[in-house]
Amino acid sequence: MANYSLRTRLKTAFIGLAVAPLLVMGMSLVWLSHDIEMKQAIEMQNEVSRRVAAQIEAYLHLVEHELNLAARINPIMDMAPAAQRKVISRLRSFHNPDHEEIYDEVALMDRKGAVAAIASRTIVYNGAGLGSRAASDEFTIPFTKQRTYYSPIRFDSKTGEPFITVALPIIVLKTGRARGVLSVVVRLRDIRNFVSNLNIGERGLAYVVDKTGVVVVHRNPSVVLKGTVFKLPERPGAGNGLDGEKAVISFTPITLGDAVYHVVTERPLAEATALPMRIVVVTLLVVVAALVGVVSLAMLVSRQIIRPLERLADTAQSIENGALELKAGHTGTYELDALADAFNGMAGRLISNITALRYHIKGRDETAKKLEKKGAELEAANIRLEKEFADKLSAQRALADSHKRLLAVLNSLDAAVYVSDMKTYEILFANALVTSLFGDVVGKTCWRVLQSGQTEPCSFCTNDKLLDKNGQPTGVYEWESKNTTNGQWYAIHDRAIKWIDGKQVKLEIAYDITEKKRLEAGKFRSDKLAAMGTLAAGIAHEINNPLTNASLTIELLKGKLKCCGDKAEEILQKVVEVESNIDRAALIAKELLQFSRQKALQFVETDVNEVIGAAIASIQYKLDGVTLTKDLAGLPPISADPGRLRQVFINVLNNAADATPKGGNIKIAAISDESHVTISITDTGIGVAQADSLRVFEPFFSTKEIGQGAGLGLSISYGIIIQHSGTIDFSSEVGKGAAVTIKLPIRGEA
Amino acid sequence: MNTPTKKTFILSCFMALLTTTLIIGSGCADKRRITTIGVVNTNPGLEGIIKGFKDGMAEHGYVEGGNVVYIYNGTISDDKAIDAEIQGMLDRKADLLLTVTTHVAQRAKALTAGTNTPVVFAPVFFAVESGIVADLKRPGGNLTGMQIGGNTQKALEWHLTAAPRTRRMLVPYNDEEAAARQSLGELKEAARKLKVALVIVPVKNEDELRGAIEKNVRKTDSMWVLNSHFNIGNIKTFSNAGIRFKIPVSSGTSQLGLGMLISYGQKPYSTGKKAARLASSILSGIPPREIPVETVDYYLGINLATARAIGALIPDDMLAQAHEIVRK
């Protein structure tokens, strides 16, 4: 809120209260005066317009009346032509009181419209051939309609004088028929003079316009001669006058015959509104005078109020500066004197209080000195405390930094690290890897959150191995374990350490060795299969020789059976049975050799699609009720032994067909990259157990019923794929099916 | 009283005084200005024009001796004197020139060419044909005013009404004057129409005029005075000859008082008042080029004294139509 002085507020109030009503009153007066004057001006001009219109009509009616009289009193149509000319001539010479000729021309027409006699003010008509006006309105209207004709008002193009033609029929009283027409061209000079002499204020004027706005009667012939056009406003009031000046305009219509004219009066707006303007001026003067008076009065009154207050303020200022003996004087105004008395009383009490205060101040000086000494001591102590606090704060910051660094190291390790209470199993710390694997485990029980399916501390918990009987740490305890929550293998280092609260806790650091375990298992299997291959090859070689001999011996024996007589047939059956077993053994030996990769391959550029197609054709007969789908498009040719490769796919598809019941599916899919093609054959068959799946490539291992196979199919396939420098994997889940994945290098040597 | 209060008081008083002064002063602006109008006339018979002009100007607020001063040194006839008179008025920075007669208007046009001095002529004979203005509705220069002309036919008709036995008419004619040439042309047309033979006699000066009249008057039964500077200047010669030889002398000019039997022409006083209206418009700011030239009204005048002198009988119905009758 603005801070105004009391003087300003008082003056504003005075002026506002006095001037506002004056202004409102003045403006109202001005507005009312202006409105009334304007209405009066318009009404006055309306009256003038009406008067002019009535004058014009009366004038022309008088002319019409005179002509009627002339036509009736003188039976002009019965006169001789010379007499007619004389009458017409005399008629034309009629003058108004100002000795101005009324008619410019008088003409008498017979019943055919021929001009019988004519007299003109300006035109010379030769006696012979005065012409005919039979076709003109001047004749036809009065003659046929037997009513007076008024022509449009026209004006002389040289003098600007207005004219109108009035023609009336000459009626035979007995028959009521027209015998001729008497026509006069009336000079509207009288009308013009009347219009010119109208008193419409000092500069007001009147004029007559036709329906198109052309000025036909004006006191200044120049206006008429110039063909001035005035556009009538829609209603009387203020507008632009004939010369463009703002004016109060009024108009009244006047009908002459068939034509409509308007008598227009206009008065300059400045003149019409002169009286309201004078009222405005006077009002303004009054307001200004009142303003001066009010300002003076406001200053006087404010001075009477403000000056004592200013003196009181000066006294207070002097007391503030030390002149305690000063007193505020009286002004003679009751309220202000009371204020001065109250002020003086207040000043007296102030002086007493100051005196008493001085005594108190003196007594307090000693106390103040003691307090100053104590304050210095306190300040020194305070400085010491601040220094100690700063040291501790620095140490805490260093510790926090160290903690951050340690935490950063632990969180960057690829090992799961956590600390747990050895009695309560509560996890006290866990690094980022633990958190990422098992969530936020700090504060929770380790066997609940790190393992699954545990209802009590783990049986393999190492807590009791980390402390000796005296409760001292025994050192690092290393072990391996498969986590029951995520199935990963870990190499674990456990040890007891002293925790920040002094208790012995377990620190466990676990490294993920799952991949290492997988590699180890694969290598173990490969080594095992290699050893079995070597063994199988040796056995096959060792068996083959006796089998060959046995086979030869059987042949010899068959040849000698003829001597056995009746027993020969029976013996032959037995021999054939032995021979069959020998062949079967030889076949097994052969297959063992294939498994042991003793047979050399013939690498050629091979289309895997064709090989798979041939394999499918071989086992097609077994796919009764089983749907086989292929997704093999776009495989590149590889370097391989197509015959051996076909055997691999036959073996795998055979197994899949055997394992898949009717309604199941077998899917063959292949993909390739820059170096390998990978073919997977999956089925929706009965599958094999996890433990069995590790042995499916071992010779003579089979999950089929006895007699359904020798258990060498996948073993042989394994051998062939290894010979191609490829890999073959098997995975299965009981009840859901099995999948064999074969990965072959595009180049054989890969 | 502190300083701001004093300032406020002084400022308030100053504003009140200023406002009052402005308001009162605005209503008292001095509109008075002396207007100078030069008048050049060559025809003493047209003094009525000047009187009508002055009266008309007074009606429009230009009162002689008040806010308007007229420079008029009486009629002059010599061309050099006319030019000197006009030039003198221009040198005196006349606000407007009033010229009476066609000849003066022509001189004024020549001398005011290139100046902005407006000229009102009252009247000239056929303003366009006389080369004074380019167009009647839009004069286009620094001249406008009243013209005469076109009344000769009617004038002749009135003459024949008063002197119906007229068959041959003597027409003295100074062919050096454009107005005379134009007036003669009109007369020829009227005479052809009204079947009057014209005896046209060229003259250059008063002596030749007297000689022409002496020589031809007995061969004719009427005499006609053409509109021309020369004829107007010798109007008494015409009227005296008419009385002497007892033949009717008429004119399309307004020389009734100087012995013409029949006059059908302007009323000089009326023409002067109309010219005053045009001058007033010019002085109010409308340029002459935008003020149309007006044609005077014509009035019939009959001089019964002359009629008696020559033994002419004027019909009553003609007398009834006359605007002016000179009986003595």
Side-chain angles (χ1 to χ4, degrees):
Chain A
M1 187 177 177
N3 188 15
Y4 299 106
S5 69
L6 184 57
R7 186 188 297 275
T8 305
R9 290 172 191 271
L10 277 171
K11 275 193 260 187
T12 306
F14 276 121
I15 293 169
L17 286 172
V19 173
L22 269 174
L23 285 174
V24 170
M25 187 179 69
M27 292 305 107
S28 302
L29 194 59
V30 167
W31 184 82
L32 284 172
S33 300
H34 184 270
D35 190 49
I36 290 168
E37 285 297 318
M38 280 297 290
K39 285 178 179 172
Q40 282 185 346
I42 294 170
E43 186 52 39
M44 186 198 81
Q45 288 180 212
N46 279 337
E47 180 58 30
V48 172
S49 300
R50 285 194 290 270
R51 195 147 52 90
V52 173
Q55 184 76 14
I56 293 172
E57 287 179 330
Y59 180 81
L60 292 173
H61 288 156
L62 183 63
V63 167
E64 185 182 345
H65 180 67
E66 286 181 347
L67 290 177
N68 259 320
L69 281 176
R72 289 186 180 188
I73 290 173
N74 301 301
I76 194 167
M77 298 307 295
D78 296 330
M79 293 179 181
Q84 285 178 337
R85 282 197 296 274
K86 202 168 186 177
V87 170
I88 292 300
S89 179
R90 291 294 293 271
L91 190 58
R92 199 211 64 76
S93 66
F94 282 2
H95 291 72
N96 63 12
D98 294 330
H99 211 65
E100 298 277 1
E101 291 161 305
I102 297 173
Y103 306 122
D104 189 65
E105 181 186 282
V106 179
L108 178 68
M109 288 162 269
D110 63 17
R111 66 181 66 206
K112 293 181 179 177
V115 178
I118 187 167
S120 169
R121 187 174 65 93
T122 56
I123 301 171
V124 174
Y125 289 98
N126 206 349
L130 297 177
S132 172
R133 299 183 182 180
S136 66
D137 291 343
E138 177 187 352
F139 173 76
T140 56
I141 290 176
F143 189 81
T144 58
K145 298 183 179 177
Q146 296 194 2
R147 66 174 172 84
T148 304
Y149 162 76
Y150 289 92
S151 74
I153 294 177
R154 62 186 186 282
F155 55 85
D156 189 303
S157 61
K158 291 182 179 177
T159 64
E161 183 179 350
F163 298 103
I164 188 169
T165 299
V166 180
L168 68 163
I170 298 172
I171 307 292
V172 178
L173 296 176
K174 288 181 180 177
T175 63
R177 292 180 180 173
R179 285 190 65 190
V181 170
L182 183 61
S183 170
V184 295
V185 176
V186 184
R187 300 177 75 189
L188 296 178
R189 176 169 292 219
D190 283 349
I191 298 298
R192 186 173 72 180
N193 292 339
F194 177 70
V195 167
S196 302
N197 295 328
L198 283 172
N199 182 20
I200 310 172
E202 291 183 3
R203 294 170 54 213
L205 57 89
Y207 45 92
V208 180
V209 298
D210 67 12
K211 64 181 178 182
T212 62
V214 173
V215 180
V216 293
V217 178
H218 192 280
R219 68 184 180 191
N220 184 352
S222 294
V223 174
V224 178
L225 289 171
K226 282 194 285 189
T228 308
V229 175
F230 177 71
K231 188 175 186 309
L232 279 177
E234 289 185 1
R235 64 181 66 84
N240 289 326
L242 197 59
D243 59 357
E245 187 182 2
K246 285 286 181 189
V248 176
I249 297 168
S250 174
F251 51 88
T252 300
I254 174 173
T255 303
L256 297 176
D258 296 329
V260 176
Y261 302 88
H262 283 89
V263 176
V264 183
T265 61
E266 65 174 58
R267 189 182 181 194
L269 192 62
E271 182 184 312
T273 58
L275 182 60
M277 284 308 294
R278 280 197 289 274
I279 293 173
V280 170
V281 171
V282 171
T283 306
L284 194 60
L285 281 173
V286 170
V287 170
V288 169
L291 184 64
V292 172
V294 167
V295 169
S296 302
L297 186 65
M299 285 191 297
L300 185 66
V301 172
S302 65
R303 184 183 175 192
Q304 288 185 344
I305 295 172
I306 298 301
R307 283 302 294 273
L309 291 175
E310 286 177 341
R311 282 200 293 271
L312 197 59
D314 291 342
T315 304
Q317 185 69 46
S318 299
I319 291 172
E320 185 186 354
N321 293 334
L324 299 176
E325 70 284 357
L326 282 181
K327 298 288 182 190
H330 281 186
T331 62
T333 304
Y334 175 76
E335 290 84 355
L336 294 175
D337 288 349
L339 180 61
D341 290 341
F343 181 79
N344 289 335
M346 184 182 69
R349 284 194 298 280
L350 187 62
I351 291 167
S352 302
N353 289 339
I354 289 171
T355 305
L357 196 59
R358 280 175 180 164
Y359 283 111
H360 282 294
I361 289 170
K362 192 175 181 181
R364 285 180 181 177
D365 283 349
E366 292 296 326
T367 308
K369 285 178 183 174
K370 288 178 184 174
L371 286 172
E372 191 175 349
K373 187 180 177 184
K374 284 288 182 188
E377 290 172 1
L378 283 171
E379 189 174 355
N382 189 37
I383 291 169
R384 280 199 305 278
L385 285 172
E386 282 180 351
K387 187 173 183 305
E388 287 174 5
F389 178 74
D391 292 343
K392 281 190 176 180
L393 193 62
S394 176
Q396 281 180 354
R397 283 175 181 163
L399 188 60
D401 290 344
S402 174
H403 176 73
K404 283 181 183 174
R405 283 194 294 275
L406 180 60
L407 201 59
V409 170
L410 289 173
N411 285 336
S412 65
L413 289 176
D414 286 334
V417 180
Y418 74 92
V419 175
S420 62
D421 191 298
M422 296 176 72
K423 291 181 179 176
T424 64
Y425 302 99
E426 180 188 1
I427 297 175
L428 303 174
F429 169 81
N431 74 347
L433 184 57
V434 173
T435 303
S436 68
L437 292 172
F438 303 102
D440 186 8
V441 297
V442 176
K444 297 176 181 172
T445 305
C446 63
W447 53 265
R448 293 184 190 277
V449 296
L450 299 181
Q451 300 293 340
S452 59
Q454 295 295 130
T455 56
E456 57 185 3
C458 305
S459 58
F460 45 83
C461 183
T462 59
N463 282 357
D464 56 350
K465 297 180 176 67
L466 303 179
L467 296 172
D468 59 16
K469 58 185 178 182
N470 296 320
Q472 295 301 312
T474 56
V476 177
Y477 180 82
E478 297 182 7
W479 59 296
E480 291 183 353
S481 173
K482 187 178 183 181
N483 186 275
T484 54
T485 298
N486 60 14
Q488 298 294 94
W489 277 92
Y490 292 93
I492 304 167
H493 293 191
D494 289 346
R495 67 181 301 172
I497 62 172
K498 186 174 284 186
W499 194 235
I500 53 179
D501 57 359
K503 285 194 295 187
Q504 290 293 346
V505 296
K506 180 174 79 175
L507 169 64
E508 184 169 290
I509 303 171
Y511 301 95
D512 189 335
I513 57 170
T514 306
E515 181 61 17
K516 180 185 171 188
K517 281 282 186 185
R518 193 186 66 79
L519 292 173
E520 284 177 354
K523 187 173 185 302
F524 174 75
R525 188 176 63 181
S526 298
D527 292 347
K528 182 179 174 183
L529 289 173
M532 290 177 76
T534 304
L535 178 63
I539 292 170
H541 279 297
E542 291 301 323
I543 289 174
N544 262 343
N545 289 331
L547 286 178
T548 304
N549 290 334
S551 181
L552 289 172
T553 304
I554 289 297
E555 285 298 323
L556 288 173
L557 192 60
K558 282 182 183 174
K560 292 179 179 179
L561 282 178
K562 296 175 181 173
C563 60
C564 293
D566 295 336
K567 295 290 184 175
E569 186 64 27
E570 183 180 352
I571 292 168
L572 182 59
Q573 286 184 351
K574 294 295 183 180
V575 169
V576 170
E577 189 174 341
V578 171
E579 186 180 26
S580 175
N581 285 327
I582 289 170
D583 289 342
R584 184 163 175 267
L587 180 62
I588 290 170
K590 184 182 176 184
E591 288 177 339
L592 283 173
L593 283 173
Q594 287 178 348
F595 165 66
S596 61
R597 293 160 277 168
Q598 294 299 305
K599 189 173 181 180
L601 302 179
Q602 299 296 317
F603 283 94
V604 295
E605 190 173 85
T606 303
D607 184 341
V608 179
N609 283 346
E610 283 186 13
V611 173
I612 293 173
I616 292 170
S618 297
I619 58 95
Q620 188 69 46
Y621 69 95
K622 297 183 76 173
L623 297 176
D624 183 22
V626 176
T627 302
L628 187 143
T629 56
K630 294 186 291 182
D631 185 10
L632 305 172
L635 287 180
I638 65 172
S639 180
D641 185 329
R644 304 291 282 168
L645 206 55
R646 183 165 62 89
Q647 186 179 354
V648 170
F649 289 122
I650 289 171
N651 289 341
V652 174
L653 288 170
N654 254 328
N655 287 342
D658 290 341
T660 303
K662 286 186 178 178
N665 295 303
I666 297 173
K667 181 178 180 184
I668 306 172
I671 57 172
S672 66
D673 56 22
E674 291 180 351
S675 58
H676 290 84
V677 294
T678 302
I679 304 101
S680 62
I681 300 168
T682 56
D683 64 63
T684 57
I686 55 176
V688 296
Q690 181 71 22
D692 292 342
S693 68
L694 296 174
R695 299 183 61 200
V696 293
F697 296 115
E698 293 178 8
F700 306 112
F701 178 81
S702 176
T703 58
K704 298 178 183 175
E705 293 178 1
I706 295 171
Q708 291 292 314
L712 285 170
L714 285 179
S715 302
I716 293 166
S717 299
Y718 176 84
I720 293 169
I721 294 302
I722 294 301
Q723 276 189 288
H724 279 85
S725 300
T727 61
I728 180 168
D729 289 307
F730 178 85
S731 62
S732 177
E733 194 172 344
V734 175
K736 292 188 176 178
V740 175
T741 304
I742 299 166
K743 188 173 182 181
L744 293 166
I746 292 174
R747 304 295 174 194
E749 63 275 14
Chain B
M1 188 181 285
N2 56 22
T3 304
T5 306
K6 282 181 182 174
K7 281 184 179 174
T8 307
F9 181 74
I10 291 168
L11 188 63
S12 300
C13 291
F14 175 75
M15 285 182 64
L17 191 62
L18 182 66
T19 308
T20 307
T21 305
L22 287 174
I23 291 167
I24 293 172
S26 64
C28 301
D30 185 11
K31 294 179 181 175
R32 288 183 172 277
R33 178 180 173 277
I34 303 299
T35 301
T36 303
I37 298 174
V39 181
V40 184
N41 179 22
T42 58
N43 187 351
L46 296 178
E47 286 291 332
I49 289 176
I50 297 166
K51 185 174 188 315
F53 183 82
K54 289 182 177 180
D55 289 351
M57 290 300 285
E59 289 175 5
H60 288 96
Y62 296 91
V63 181
E64 186 175 15
N67 60 344
V68 67
V69 171
Y70 290 97
I71 307 171
Y72 180 47
N73 298 313
T75 54
I76 48 178
S77 55
D78 181 63
D79 278 358
K80 288 183 180 178
I82 292 170
D83 288 354
E85 184 75 357
I86 293 171
Q87 190 57 55
M89 290 169 179
L90 294 176
D91 293 343
R92 291 176 63 177
K93 308 288 184 191
D95 296 297
L96 183 140
L97 298 184
L98 172 68
T99 66
V100 182
T101 74
T102 306
H103 185 66
V104 178
Q106 287 169 329
R107 297 309 309 151
K109 181 181 181 183
L111 291 170
T112 58
T115 73
N116 288 324
T117 304
V119 177
V120 173
F121 46 83
V124 298
F125 192 78
F126 283 125
V128 174
E129 289 79 356
S130 299
I132 294 169
V133 298
D135 183 78
L136 292 180
K137 282 190 177 179
R138 302 254 182 260
N142 62 321
L143 294 90
T144 188
M146 309 297 296
Q147 73 162 4
I148 56 174
N151 58 326
T152 303
Q153 279 195 22
K154 196 67 185 177
L156 181 59
E157 187 183 48
W158 285 124
H159 176 85
L160 295 177
T161 303
R165 293 178 181 176
T166 300
R167 296 291 179 270
R168 290 171 62 83
M169 181 174 275
L170 176 61
V171 185
Y173 163 61
N174 182 357
D175 63 356
E176 293 178 347
E177 291 185 81
R181 290 194 294 271
Q182 290 160 2
S183 182
L184 180 62
E186 264 199 288
L187 182 64
K188 284 179 177 176
E189 177 63 24
R192 186 191 59 75
K193 199 169 186 179
L194 296 171
K195 297 180 174 53
V196 175
L198 301 179
V199 179
I200 301 166
V201 182
V203 294
K204 300 287 186 198
N205 51 49
E206 189 176 350
D207 291 341
E208 287 186 8
L209 174 63
R210 290 177 190 279
I213 293 172
E214 289 282 346
K215 184 178 178 181
N216 297 294
V217 70
R218 289 188 177 81
K219 302 174 188 174
T220 58
D221 36 38
S222 289
M223 188 157 57
W224 190 261
V225 181
L226 293 171
N227 279 310
S228 82
H229 177 64
F230 172 80
N231 284 354
I232 298 302
N234 293 284
I235 195 72
K236 285 298 285 182
T237 303
F238 283 98
S239 56
N240 290 340
I243 292 171
R244 179 185 166 197
F245 295 110
K246 297 191 182 302
I247 60 169
V249 180
S250 297
S251 170
T253 62
S254 54
Q255 306 300 326
L256 193 64
L258 295 174
M260 296 291 105
L261 173 65
I262 301 296
S263 164
Y264 184 73
Q266 63 175 324
K267 272 187 180 177
Y269 183 80
S270 174
T271 301
K273 286 192 78 170
K274 289 176 179 173
R277 176 167 43 75
L278 303 183
S280 171
S281 296
I282 291 169
L283 293 174
S284 69
I286 301 173
R289 64 176 177 275
E290 294 180 5
I291 300 175
V293 172
E294 294 180 27
T295 303
V296 301
D297 284 323
Y298 300 111
Y299 302 88
L300 174 63
I302 301 171
N303 193 325
L304 288 180
T306 301
R308 281 195 299 273
I310 65 173
L313 290 174
I314 307 298
D316 286 347
D317 60 310
M318 184 179 176
L319 285 172
Q321 297 181 60
H323 298 91
E324 185 179 4
I325 299 172
V326 177
R327 292 186 172 81
K328 290 182 180 176

